[in-house]
Amino acid sequence: GAFAHYGLGLWDRLFLTAGGRKDESDFFPDAATWRMGAAYLHRETGSKLKGGYGTAFKAPTLFELFGFAQNFQGNPALKPEESTGWDAGVEQALWDGRARVEAVYFRNRIRNLIIGAGQTALNVPGARADGVEVAASARPLPDVDVTFSYTFTRTRDSQSGDDLVRRPKHMANLGLFRRLMDGRAEIGLEVSYFGRQDDFFFDAAFNRVQVEMPSRTLVNL
């Protein structure tokens, strides 16, 4: 594989980026992907507008292709996943730069999504994911940082119309960090919430049923 990336800043306000990648493989057709992005910063108010559009490629894993387990049969006929996506958002600095709020809308379209199907893996012809993410961060004290983010994601399998598995609609994260010893150490507390999501349940005969998993919370110190 080979890739190139270029960034350009104009008048200390307009920032442009462009990148491309070429992957060559003995097992799949060669893939070329790219992404372009732009951001405009209004320095007088601390506002930033930003957006991007790009393509992506993901080859199946060796396990998905060939197995290596008695209860899983690999599928050498799997096709790589391909996707296109774009995002647009706004960011605002507050409190003389010590705080920031952000909101972003994103949309992705996926072709040949790879999913587990009993004792093998299959391609789903198409899937989509779109949603909104909001985030905020602040430094109320010189050695204290607070962060927050929330993401709403809506997904669909184009074949069945069902939600994609293991992709919760609601996710949130709250963090509190304190620097110690003149910045040489840090202690942090993070609380992450993952909403209800669908998953696959397989019985002893590997028959698949889509079930709903309850929400959960993870606390890291």
Side-chain angles (χ1 to χ4, degrees), residues 176-187:
L176 177 63
F177 305 93
R178 171 69 188 276
R179 286 177 296 281
L180 307 169
M181 301 170 59
D182 296 327
R184 290 178 294 162
E186 182 179 79
I187 184 170

Side-chain angles (χ1 to χ4, degrees), residues 66-67 182 198:
F66 306 114
D182 296 327
D198 291 336

Side-chain angles (χ1 to χ4, degrees), residues 63-64 67 69-75 78 114-124 165-166 199-210:
F63 184 78
E64 291 167 337
Q70 293 182 354
N71 58 357
F72 186 87
Q73 180 66 42
N75 183 0
L78 284 174
I114 300 172
I115 64 169
Q119 291 178 287
T120 189
L122 299 174
N123 285 114
V124 173
V165 297
R166 292 181 289 278
D199 204 342
F200 291 138
F201 171 77
F202 298 94
D203 61 20
F206 290 96
N207 297 309
R208 189 182 73 179
V209 178
Q210 191 159 326

Side-chain angles (χ1 to χ4, degrees), residues 4-217:
H5 177 85
Y6 182 73
L8 176 66
L10 300 173
W11 313 293
D12 211 21
R13 292 177 180 268
L14 180 63
F15 304 92
L16 306 173
T17 60
R21 181 181 176 97
K22 178 68 178 296
D23 288 277
E24 297 182 358
S25 169
D26 293 333
F27 206 80
F28 304 105
D30 296 348
T33 55
W34 55 272
R35 178 174 172 82
M36 300 181 68
Y40 176 77
L41 175 63
H42 191 264
R43 292 192 172 275
E44 290 76 9
T45 60
S47 302
K48 180 190 290 185
L49 299 176
K50 56 185 179 179
Y53 184 92
T55 63
F57 163 89
K58 178 181 179 297
T61 66
L62 290 175
F63 184 78
E64 291 167 337
L65 288 170
F66 306 114
F68 306 127
Q70 293 182 354
N71 58 357
F72 186 87
Q73 180 66 42
N75 183 0
L78 284 174
K79 299 177 181 179
E81 293 181 4
E82 298 178 276
S83 65
T84 59
W86 64 270
D87 59 81
V90 60
E91 185 179 320
Q92 179 66 51
L94 303 168
W95 204 6
D96 293 331
R98 289 184 292 166
R100 179 186 61 86
V101 293
E102 177 183 4
V104 177
Y105 175 81
F106 59 88
R107 171 172 287 188
N108 295 305
R109 296 295 179 265
I110 308 168
R111 295 183 300 277
N112 298 320
L113 178 70
I114 300 172
I115 64 169
Q119 291 178 287
T120 189
L122 299 174
N123 285 114
V124 173
R128 71 180 191 184
D130 52 76
V132 177
E133 182 172 75
V134 295
S137 62
R139 180 166 290 177
L141 298 172
D143 293 326
V144 176
D145 290 316
V146 181
T147 62
F148 170 79
S149 65
Y150 166 77
T151 305
F152 171 80
T153 307
R154 182 175 55 191
T155 62
R156 283 292 183 272
D157 177 336
S158 62
Q159 192 172 37
S160 66
D162 295 332
D163 294 340
L164 297 180
V165 297
R166 292 181 289 278
R167 290 170 174 84
K169 287 184 178 180
H170 304 280
M171 294 189 300
N173 182 272
L174 178 65
L176 177 63
F177 305 93
R178 171 69 188 276
R179 286 177 296 281
L180 307 169
M181 301 170 59
D182 296 327
R184 290 178 294 162
E186 182 179 79
I187 184 170
L189 174 68
E190 281 189 304
V191 181
S192 299
Y193 169 81
F194 304 90
R196 292 180 296 175
Q197 59 184 300
D198 291 336
D199 204 342
F200 291 138
F201 171 77
F202 298 94
D203 61 20
F206 290 96
N207 297 309
R208 189 182 73 179
V209 178
Q210 191 159 326
V211 298
E212 185 180 75
M213 302 291 288
S215 61
R216 62 193 188 278
T217 301

